[in-house]
Every structure is written in C-alpha cells, then in structure tokens.
Amino acid sequence: GDNYTPEAYEAMRHDLGLDRPFLIRYVTYIADAVRGNFGESYSTGNPVTAEILARLPNTLLLAFVAMIFAVVVGIPMGVISATRQYSIFDNVSMVAALIGVSMPNFWLGLMLILIFAAGLGWFPASQFSSWSALVLPAITLGANSLAVITRMTRSTMLETIRQDYIRTARAKGVKESTVIIRHALRNALIPVVTTIGLQFGFSIGGAVVVETVFSWPGIGRLLVDAIGWRDTPIVMAIVMILAVLFTVINLCTDIFYAFLDPRIRAQYKRG
C-alpha cells in the first residue's frame, strides 16, 4: 500500500530474500525449483506448487479433449480431401481449414458463447460445472489444430498415394479401403504425428486465452490472474512448467515414431 513504513518495507524485502545478492537468489531459486519448490504466492501466501497442481489437471484435460477433437475430425477430413482431390468436399474443407488457421481463438470463443450458450442455451458459457462445459472451450482450443492437421494430412496423403507401391497394391487388386488405410495412411502419418505433437504443446500454451474467455479454472487463467496481481513466483513457475511440458510432449512424439515406422525401430535396435 501507499502508507507503508521503511521498517515494514525492509522487513518484507528480507522475508522475500530480495536483500540478498542476485546470484545467490538465482542459484537458490533454481535449486528449489528442481525439487518442485517455487516459493510462496505473493497474493495468497500459499505454496506456488500447490496452487499450480490444483489447476494443472484442468488445463491438461482441456488440451487433451481439444486434441482428440482435432485428430478425430482432422485426419478423416484430410484423407477424404486427398482421395477426392478438387471435389466439392475438398474445396470446402480447405476453405474451412484456411478459416480455422486464420481465426483468433478469443473471437471464436466469444462467437460460440454468443450462439450456443447465450442464444440457444445448449452449453454452459463458463466454469467447469459439468462435462458439457468442456464442449465449447475444447472446440475453441482445437479449431486451429484441426485446420493444421487437416491440411498436413491432405498434403502427405497426396504425396503418398502417388508412390509406386500404392499403384502396385492397386494393380494386385487390393481393396481401395485397404490401400488407403493400411498402406497410404500409415506411411503418411509420421509428419502428421509431428504436427499433432507440436499442436498439443501449442494447445497447452494457447489455453491461456481460451481459459480466460471461458473462465476455465486452469493454469492459463491462473497465469493471467497472477500477471494482474504481479505475483512473480506464480508467473515464473507456470512459464517453466509450460516449457517442460512442451519438451516432454515432443520427446514422446519422437518415441511414438518407432510404433509407426519399422525402419525407425530397426535403427533403435541397431543403436
């Protein structure tokens, strides 16, 4: 406040450790962070780790459901667009994907609230009151990923179905569905899996905006609130956790390659 005394000011600096040299504070913070201790919140006085762990599952749930929506819709759309190139479905889906890539999350979220929550009353507008409350924020968060996955799937499928082994399989009389799913799609999935992994990481970071729009009780909204409160320990901890999550997701994506491509498994065994 404005009526603080010099004594109270110095006592607060001492409690926060701000009277120590910078390097000592930095090394101490890193050592504590490695052990999962990010200090205490300036605004609530609670341990930062407890504040984050109480909300992290909500963010992961939202990002996971958003990616399930993006993958379940995006991959079939990309496959159908590739197998029916230049058809009406292909043109419509590519225009929709272009709109999905270009559309800001906050605008889409507000439009969904306006139409499906305030207008039709089908879904809650905010809070995690029921499982139906997941629908609008998951669609909002997954729309951009859906568009990217659709375009990537179409691109890789178009390249794959023109390969010689696909023509050979068709010449042998293999069913078209088998050719597309077992031969073409499986070989086209590696770039798509890379895209899914990256988009999942982006979804966790992008949840900051979506959680704010829908008042979702996750770490994204906590981050925005902490910035407003100037709660530095919470801001620093969430940024570090998001960076670690993004790295872990990319590592898992690389490991998953081995399940899709036997050549990668062979390289692992030789290594």
Side-chain angles (χ1 to χ4, degrees), residues 10 18 33 50 65 69 78 80 85 92 100 121 134 145 171 196 205 213 228 264 268:
E10 291 300 329
L18 298 177
V65 173
F69 163 70
I80 297 172
Q85 190 179 13
V92 171
L134 260 173
S145 298
I196 293 172
V213 171
I264 298 177
Y268 285 158

Side-chain angles (χ1 to χ4, degrees), residues 19-41:
D19 56 346
R20 293 181 294 173
F22 169 76
L23 287 178
I24 294 178
R25 284 187 283 142
Y26 179 76
V27 172
T28 303
Y29 179 82
I30 294 299
D32 289 340
V34 170
R35 296 194 296 268
N37 178 17
F38 294 99
E40 295 181 351
S41 168

Side-chain angles (χ1 to χ4, degrees), residues 55 205-213 216 218-231 234-235 238:
R55 301 196 182 208
V208 173
V209 176
V210 176
E211 289 181 1
T212 303
V213 171
W216 187 262
I219 61 172
R221 187 182 174 200
L222 177 62
L223 176 61
V224 174
D225 292 340
I227 292 172
W229 299 330
R230 297 184 182 179
D231 200 333
I234 288 182
V235 174
I238 291 178

Side-chain angles (χ1 to χ4, degrees), residues 24-90:
I24 294 178
R25 284 187 283 142
Y26 179 76
V27 172
T28 303
Y29 179 82
I30 294 299
D32 289 340
V34 170
R35 296 194 296 268
N37 178 17
F38 294 99
E40 295 181 351
S41 168
Y42 291 167
S43 54
T44 66
N46 298 326
V48 172
T49 304
E51 294 275 359
I52 293 176
L53 289 179
R55 301 196 182 208
L56 182 59
N58 294 331
T59 296
L60 294 178
L61 174 64
L62 177 60
F64 182 75
V65 173
M67 286 309 302
I68 291 293
F69 163 70
V71 170
V72 169
V73 178
I75 290 180
M77 282 182 62
V79 171
I80 297 172
S81 294
T83 55
R84 300 179 181 177
Q85 190 179 13
Y86 305 129
S87 65
I88 295 177
F89 181 89
D90 182 30

Side-chain angles (χ1 to χ4, degrees), residues 14 23 27 41 49 58 94-95 120 139 145 159 163 166-167 176 196-197 200 203 211 213 227 247-248 250 255 258:
H14 178 73
L23 287 178
V27 172
S41 168
T49 304
N58 294 331
M94 287 302 100
V95 171
L120 299 175
I139 292 175
S145 298
E159 181 180 351
Q163 299 297 319
I166 298 295
R167 285 195 290 268
E176 184 66 15
I196 293 172
F200 189 33
S203 294
E211 289 181 1
V213 171
I227 292 172
T247 304
V248 170
N250 280 278
I255 294 174

